Amino acid sequence: MRYFNKKYWPSQVRIDVPLIKREITLQELERWCYQNLKSSEWRNDGWYFAFKREQDYTFFVLRWA
């Protein structure tokens, strides 16, 4: 698993697929990010997501984690 530099990506989360109550795909998560966040404000490497802004991280976690 890749870790992002915390200096540039201070908020990071790994989505644990087995803990999610319904079936979702990685593409669904990425599509949601592209639709709701600026593309320069987030990155992912598989199920590991990193965010520059704390409010984007919170918005994502409240929706998907």
Side-chain angles (χ1 to χ4, degrees):
M1 174 179 6
R2 177 180 175 187
Y3 291 96
F4 296 94
N5 186 333
K6 288 204 179 244
K7 178 179 177 184
Y8 303 107
W9 305 99
S11 302
Q12 303 179 25
V13 64
R14 180 180 182 277
I15 300 298
D16 194 5
V17 179
L19 293 179
I20 297 176
K21 292 182 177 135
R22 65 182 190 92
E23 290 293 320
I24 63 167
T25 64
L26 181 59
Q27 291 79 18
E28 192 175 352
L29 291 170
E30 291 170 336
R31 188 177 323 115
W32 183 89
C33 287
Y34 279 117
Q35 291 173 348
N36 293 286
L37 309 173
K38 289 183 178 180
S39 62
S40 63
E41 300 292 322
W42 69 276
R43 292 287 179 263
N44 77 303
D45 183 22
W47 294 93
Y48 194 79
F49 286 79
F51 303 89
K52 286 185 179 178
R53 299 177 344 141
E54 181 70 26
Q55 56 260 48
D56 291 341
Y57 165 79
T58 303
F59 190 33
F60 179 83
V61 169
L62 286 173
R63 174 64 178 99
W64 297 107

